[in-house]
Amino acid sequence: MSLVKTALIGLKADSFRHPLDLEATKTLKQIPGIDMMVRNWLGPMAEQVFYVENIAASVLVGEKQLPDLHNLLLDACNILDIEPPQLYVRQHPAPNAYTFAMRGKQPFVVLHTSLIDMLTPEEIQAVIAHELGHLKCDHSVYLTPVNLLILAAAILPNVGAILAQTLQAQLLEWVRCAEFTCDRAALLATQNPKVVMSVLMKLAGGSPTLAPQLNLDAFVAQARAYDDISNTELGVMVKEARTAQLSHPVPVLRAREIDRWASSTEYHILMQNHGFKGETETAPKGGWRNW
């Protein structure tokens, strides 16, 4: 029998969205035409490419195909109050997960086999829930150009230079902020901050061999040491330069953020206001963004 979790009935995206995500989204909305560009140009092209790629080179998870993963998906969807997307497993040596969705279309989540191999079932569910967070918060409008404009910059250097100057910095800043929100979704689904922080630790320095030997308490202490770097002006400058071109915040920073939010009054009030106690094994069955 599974542990009893709280299903968050009526959960709204803004009830767990990270403040930095809210602020960065407001900035992006000021860029004219970006939503139309995604819907009318980038979106349809990417949707067709990714759909064909998944069908051709991945395994679609379902009741009769990798049912344990299917149940983890349904359980997380039940807790987060979201319709289940398609879930694919893809053979790949780089541990990763991503999601893609256009409004009104069939969304999907992809897990790489190398990521699955070094995680426990609870940790796999945290990854799935993180990707569901992108869907819950409708991040696809901005995630699509992040991935595809980088591709366009490589194919069309002249256009790419302009795009890099006008969009890339703002988009990458938003993506890093959005990751904090989706880590919160992972916490809401697993309802155990240690599980989410353990995933981040394994992404930072894990492997199927090393993962069982890693020490979470030591990793949390490492996150606090990263905080201490900000005590000097030079430290702040080095940290900002280190992250400016990244699509994700560094793992220790994400772990620190989730640790703080799990201890916050905001988190506990959210759980109390939306919570419905129920056995996750009896959850009703329904139906690119890197982790």
Side-chain angles (χ1 to χ4, degrees):
M1 182 66 69
S2 299
L3 294 175
V4 175
K5 294 182 184 178
T6 299
L8 304 176
I9 306 302
L11 178 69
K12 302 297 183 184
D14 284 349
S15 65
F16 67 91
R17 200 184 297 265
H18 194 283
L20 292 177
D21 183 4
L22 282 171
E23 182 179 345
T25 300
K26 290 179 182 178
T27 300
L28 277 188
K29 286 182 177 179
Q30 297 174 7
I31 301 176
I34 189 169
D35 185 84
M36 182 177 298
M37 176 178 60
V38 173
R39 292 175 186 275
N40 297 334
W41 176 47
L42 296 176
M45 175 182 66
E47 180 185 31
Q48 189 65 28
V49 169
F50 289 137
Y51 177 75
V52 171
E53 183 67 15
N54 283 333
I55 289 295
S58 305
V59 171
L60 177 60
V61 173
E63 292 182 5
K64 298 180 180 180
Q65 184 69 273
L66 302 173
D68 290 344
L69 289 178
H70 184 59
N71 288 334
L72 290 176
L73 169 68
L74 296 183
D75 179 36
C77 289
N78 181 56
I79 294 171
L80 297 175
D81 199 14
I82 183 174
E83 286 296 313
Q86 291 183 338
L87 176 62
Y88 291 89
V89 172
R90 184 178 181 87
Q91 176 70 38
H92 201 286
N96 199 11
Y98 55 91
T99 190
F100 181 87
M102 296 303 300
R103 292 173 185 170
K105 304 295 183 179
Q106 173 65 59
F108 64 81
V109 172
V110 177
L111 302 179
H112 285 179
T113 51
S114 54
L115 180 63
I116 294 172
D117 285 344
M118 70 177 181
L119 300 181
T120 67
E122 275 189 308
E123 291 166 350
I124 294 170
Q125 186 173 65
V127 172
I128 292 172
H130 174 101
E131 300 305 327
L132 293 176
H134 286 305
L135 299 177
K136 184 80 176 181
C137 296
D138 198 23
H139 284 160
S140 59
V141 169
Y142 304 117
L143 290 174
T144 301
V146 166
N147 290 308
L148 297 184
L149 288 179
I150 293 174
L151 176 62
I155 297 174
L156 305 170
N158 293 333
V159 176
I162 299 174
L163 291 174
Q165 293 176 5
T166 58
L167 291 176
Q168 187 172 344
Q170 286 177 301
L171 287 169
L172 288 175
E173 172 66 22
W174 172 80
V175 169
R176 291 193 295 270
C177 296
E179 294 303 309
F180 289 135
T181 292
C182 294
D183 286 343
R184 290 182 171 191
L187 173 59
L188 293 175
T190 60
Q191 296 169 20
N192 185 346
K194 290 185 177 181
V195 170
V196 182
M197 290 189 289
S198 181
V199 174
L200 296 167
M201 176 180 64
K202 290 178 181 180
L203 285 171
S207 69
T209 302
L210 293 177
Q213 305 174 45
L214 293 173
N215 185 304
L216 183 58
D217 290 336
F219 184 70
V220 172
Q222 178 181 335
R224 297 193 184 103
Y226 181 80
D227 263 353
D228 292 340
I229 298 174
S230 297
N231 292 336
T232 67
E233 185 175 344
L234 177 60
V236 172
M237 292 174 60
V238 171
K239 287 172 68 173
E240 289 179 351
R242 168 72 176 78
T243 60
Q245 297 303 313
L246 297 179
S247 62
H248 289 59
V250 292
V252 291
L253 179 57
R254 293 170 65 182
R256 186 211 66 182
E257 282 291 309
I258 209 66
D259 188 34
R260 286 181 175 176
W261 195 59
S263 303
S264 70
T265 302
E266 177 189 358
Y267 170 72
H268 291 287
I269 291 177
L270 187 156
M271 297 297 292
Q272 292 172 2
N273 289 346
H274 291 279
F276 173 79
K277 291 288 185 179
E279 307 237 353
T280 60
E281 283 188 345
T282 59
K285 296 183 179 180
W288 153 353
R289 179 63 224 148
N290 297 337
W291 166 264

